[in-house]
Amino acid sequence: MKAKRMRKKRLRVSLLLILVLGMMIGCTAHTPSATNSQDASTATPAGSYQVVGIGPGDGDLMTIRAVTAITNADVVFCSAKTREKLAPYVDFGGKEVIDGYRVLFRYYGKDCSQVKEQTPSRARMSCEEYHQKQAEYTQLVRKFVAAGKHVVMLSSGDPTIYGPDIWSLEELGDLGPKIVPGLSAFNAANAALEVGLGEVILTAPFKKEGSKDTIEQLSGHERSTMVIFMPRDMKDLFARLAQAYHADTPVAIVGNAGMAGQQTVKLGTVETFNTDLSGVDRRRSIVYVGQSLERAQCKAVPLASAGKGKFYLVGVGPGDPDLITLRGKKIIESADMIFAHKRLKDKFQEYLDGKDVITGYHRLFPFYGKSCADVSPADKSRERMSCEEYHQKQAEFAALTRAAVSEGKTVVMLDSGDPLVYGPCSWSLTELSDLDTEVVPGLSCFNAANAALKAGVTEGKTSHSVILASGWSVAEMAPHQSTMVLFTMRTQFKKFIDGLSAYYAADTPVAIVFSAGYAERERVLHSTLGTVLEEVGPDRLPFEYLLYVGDFLDRKDDRQVN
């Protein structure tokens, strides 16, 4: 007890000294010298560097935040083709626009003397030439930022998913760079397919010896959808898929996702595409494999009697209102009737004034398409309404929408994030398949959280795949030891950690992204699998957080909250 009293006494003395020093510093801070005042008035304003995701496809799939970043920039690095695409939406006047520094990631951080050239090589320059261009780029950016300029690199899609510009964030890390999140081609392709996805495996047709996340190894999950980027050799890819999947497994190939008038969707099976790839363009294509594709509404033919109106499911992004796309904003402005959760109604009030906005019809997916007699008591107990009440609300929504469309009206359902990745409103596409429907892709909280991490989620040391998972699939997916992104929702945090700890080492880096997309509230906690429970503590975590695990997070200075 005596020792405890002494510690308290020392603590009081220390606090008193800190208070006195603070008052002294505070007093002197209000009387700056003439020299300091002069230095402050002549100091160069701080510049900045951002990699701005501009989305795939057409320019209207940029977010408002991306437009603002480009508008406020002094120097813009982009290709002439990108500038032309964005010109209807962004004024490049008065800016220094520089071409010639795109796709410079190859050989970054590697010793050229140790690089083995592939035959045939996909590289357009030698290792030494890439290093020279990388050095030129970083010198230019540093010069501009030192002069107080705001510099942006425009990066197609989501810069963090197989993005060619993510290397610059590591190289220019001392400048405090940021990422403005952008839609991935994955988000746009989801919208083209018009199908709700649950567990998703994002990967590419790599063949790396010793890897645990090849296409063949990742294929054994019946309830997940595999999404394959960069399918350069379609013939080889489908030969591999034919060995890994049943012949009748549904497949979709989406080309030019997000490009109006050029976007294509081809549906088939592993067997049909392995037999015949005629008419398939491997460029700018993404391949989907999985049972969820059976529900794709992209080929549904609206009934002639349905009317001349249209139903839109619009993804409005996570976080702040400026993460909605220009396309989403335009559709809202043209709508006659809008269904929206009250929270979204308040968030987008600026665009909704004067509109017929209906609340009370959000998150109606529970028990859709099921007989209430077949629903277990346990499933019923988890929901806020009975099965019969959900069915009644679903029928009310469908009737209201059909009546409006039959009158030639444009009806919109607003949904947070990407409405087709764990989206609570995707059921409406199946219900309204007799109408003319369209999905406007939205930025997922996954895209926004990636940007907050300022790292390439597909750039792991041992894995180049990313698994988007939820509570039920942790134990099933964890053995691959791929990068995992866990949509936590209502699942207990400890349950995730326990499931992961069975397969990942205790020193595996993890990160929690809180309130992704909210400029003032967003924060990141970096930790390890073995210590994160202690660091988080017993308090209940907020609903809006994502949990990341994987060695792409392995950076020396990241064991902190920022």
Side-chain angles (χ1 to χ4, degrees):
M1 290 295 290
K2 185 177 180 180
K4 188 174 181 180
R5 286 195 297 270
M6 288 296 292
R7 284 197 298 270
K8 287 185 176 180
K9 185 176 180 180
R10 285 197 296 268
L11 179 60
R12 286 195 295 268
V13 171
S14 298
L15 289 172
L16 182 60
L17 286 171
I18 292 169
L19 181 61
V20 171
L21 285 171
M23 292 174 66
M24 292 171 64
I25 293 169
C27 290
T28 57
H30 290 290
T31 56
S33 67
T35 301
N36 287 341
S37 178
Q38 184 178 8
D39 288 346
S41 64
T42 59
T44 302
S48 65
Y49 176 64
Q50 297 185 92
V51 175
V52 178
I54 59 172
D58 296 331
D60 65 347
L61 288 184
M62 276 192 299
T63 65
I64 293 175
R65 186 177 297 183
V67 173
T68 301
I70 301 169
T71 300
N72 293 339
D74 303 297
V75 181
V76 179
F77 285 91
C78 72
S79 68
K81 187 174 181 180
T82 296
R83 178 176 180 174
E84 180 182 359
K85 180 177 80 170
L86 302 185
Y89 311 100
V90 179
D91 183 5
F92 286 90
K95 304 182 187 304
E96 185 167 356
V97 182
I98 303 174
D99 195 357
Y101 291 94
R102 295 178 61 254
V103 194
L104 294 181
F105 69 93
R106 197 176 295 276
Y107 307 125
Y108 174 71
K110 294 184 178 180
D111 181 348
C112 290
S113 65
Q114 302 299 314
V115 171
K116 294 181 180 179
E117 294 289 348
Q118 295 179 330
T119 305
S121 175
R122 290 196 297 267
R124 55 191 171 90
M125 297 185 291
S126 68
C127 177
E128 292 77 9
E129 288 172 319
Y130 271 104
H131 282 189
Q132 181 180 342
K133 292 292 285 185
Q134 291 162 1
E136 287 177 10
Y137 179 74
T138 55
Q139 287 169 8
L140 279 171
V141 172
R142 290 185 187 283
K143 180 187 75 172
F144 289 129
V145 172
K149 303 287 187 182
H150 297 291
V151 183
V152 297
M153 163 62 85
L154 305 190
S155 191
S156 295
D158 178 338
T160 68
I161 301 177
Y162 302 114
D165 305 307
I166 202 72
W167 70 274
S168 67
L169 294 178
E170 182 177 345
E171 183 64 26
L172 298 166
D174 57 301
L175 299 181
K178 294 182 178 180
I179 297 179
V180 176
L183 270 72
S184 167
F186 162 65
N187 304 110
N190 295 346
L193 290 168
E194 296 193 29
V195 62
L197 303 175
E199 320 304 288
V200 173
I201 301 168
L202 303 179
T203 191
F206 301 118
K207 297 178 182 178
K208 190 174 182 180
E209 188 175 347
S211 175
K212 294 183 180 181
D213 65 343
T214 63
I215 286 173
E216 290 78 4
Q217 292 165 316
L218 292 169
S219 63
H221 305 286
E222 189 171 324
R223 289 188 289 180
S224 65
T225 303
M226 183 179 290
V227 182
I228 305 170
F229 285 69
M230 300 176 289
R232 296 185 179 95
D233 187 339
M234 284 284 192
K235 185 176 181 180
D236 178 71
L237 172 61
F238 277 96
R240 293 173 64 184
L241 292 173
Q243 295 296 316
Y245 284 91
H246 292 298
D248 60 354
T249 303
V251 172
I253 303 176
V254 182
N256 297 317
M259 300 178 70
Q262 299 182 52
Q263 180 174 276
T264 59
V265 176
K266 290 185 176 293
L267 299 176
T269 65
V270 168
E271 182 178 33
T272 58
F273 282 117
N274 190 39
T275 304
D276 183 10
L277 283 167
S278 59
V280 173
D281 185 356
R282 66 177 178 81
R283 296 170 300 173
R284 295 195 296 271
S285 288
I286 298 182
V287 177
Y288 285 64
V289 187
Q291 297 299 327
S292 64
L293 299 171
E294 292 182 342
R295 303 190 304 273
Q297 299 300 315
C298 55
K299 295 299 184 183
V301 179
L303 298 177
S305 59
K308 295 183 179 180
K310 189 168 183 176
F311 173 75
Y312 288 91
L313 178 57
V314 177
V316 297
D320 295 325
D322 64 350
L323 288 183
I324 191 173
T325 64
L326 299 176
R327 185 179 298 180
K329 176 177 176 288
K330 183 178 179 181
I331 294 299
I332 291 173
E333 291 171 343
S334 67
D336 301 300
M337 176 188 290
I338 297 176
F339 291 92
H341 188 281
K342 186 179 184 305
R343 179 173 53 82
L344 294 180
K345 179 182 178 182
D346 294 341
K347 182 189 292 189
F348 293 98
Q349 190 61 54
E350 177 185 353
Y351 307 143
L352 298 177
D353 276 344
K355 299 285 184 182
D356 180 10
V357 181
I358 303 173
T359 60
Y361 291 92
H362 197 75
R363 197 188 176 277
L364 294 180
F365 69 89
F367 313 124
Y368 176 71
K370 296 180 179 179
S371 168
C372 292
D374 297 333
V375 178
S376 70
D379 287 341
K380 290 180 180 178
S381 68
R382 283 195 288 266
E383 297 301 333
R384 57 189 172 87
M385 296 190 296
S386 68
C387 177
E388 291 78 10
E389 288 173 317
Y390 272 107
H391 283 188
Q392 181 180 340
K393 292 291 284 185
Q394 290 161 2
E396 288 175 9
F397 165 79
L400 287 169
T401 301
R402 286 195 172 91
V405 170
S406 69
E407 296 172 2
K409 293 181 178 179
T410 296
V411 181
V412 169
M413 168 67 86
L414 302 186
D415 198 6
S416 297
D418 179 333
L420 300 177
V421 178
Y422 297 115
C425 301
S426 61
W427 69 276
S428 63
L429 298 171
T430 302
E431 175 61 30
L432 302 172
S433 60
D434 56 309
L435 305 183
D436 186 6
T437 63
E438 183 177 332
V439 178
V440 177
L443 195 78
S444 169
C445 57
F446 164 61
N447 305 109
N450 294 349
L453 291 170
K454 295 188 275 191
V457 294
T458 53
E459 300 301 313
K461 296 176 182 177
T462 59
S463 171
H464 294 290
S465 302
V466 181
I467 297 173
L468 310 185
S470 62
W472 70 263
S473 59
V474 171
E476 180 182 338
M477 297 295 195
H480 298 294
Q481 297 179 353
S482 296
T483 294
M484 289 185 71
V485 184
L486 301 175
F487 287 68
T488 51
M489 294 174 272
R490 293 187 175 89
T491 304
Q492 291 183 349
F493 184 70
K494 187 177 184 299
K495 178 181 177 181
F496 281 119
I497 301 305
D498 290 344
L500 293 167
S501 297
Y503 299 97
Y504 292 82
D507 62 353
T508 302
V510 301
I512 305 173
V513 181
F514 301 92
S515 303
Y518 291 95
E520 299 300 323
R521 291 163 42 196
E522 180 180 88
R523 67 189 185 98
V524 179
L525 169 67
H526 289 278
S527 185
T528 65
L529 195 56
T531 60
V532 68
L533 278 176
E534 182 181 350
E535 292 185 45
V536 167
D539 296 336
R540 184 186 177 104
L541 290 169
F543 183 77
E544 291 182 321
Y545 77 93
L546 272 74
L547 173 64
Y548 286 72
V549 57
D551 60 15
F552 82 97
L553 293 163
D554 194 8
R555 290 171 292 172
K556 294 180 181 178
D557 60 345
D558 280 346
R559 304 294 179 261
Q560 59 187 3
V561 176
N562 53 44

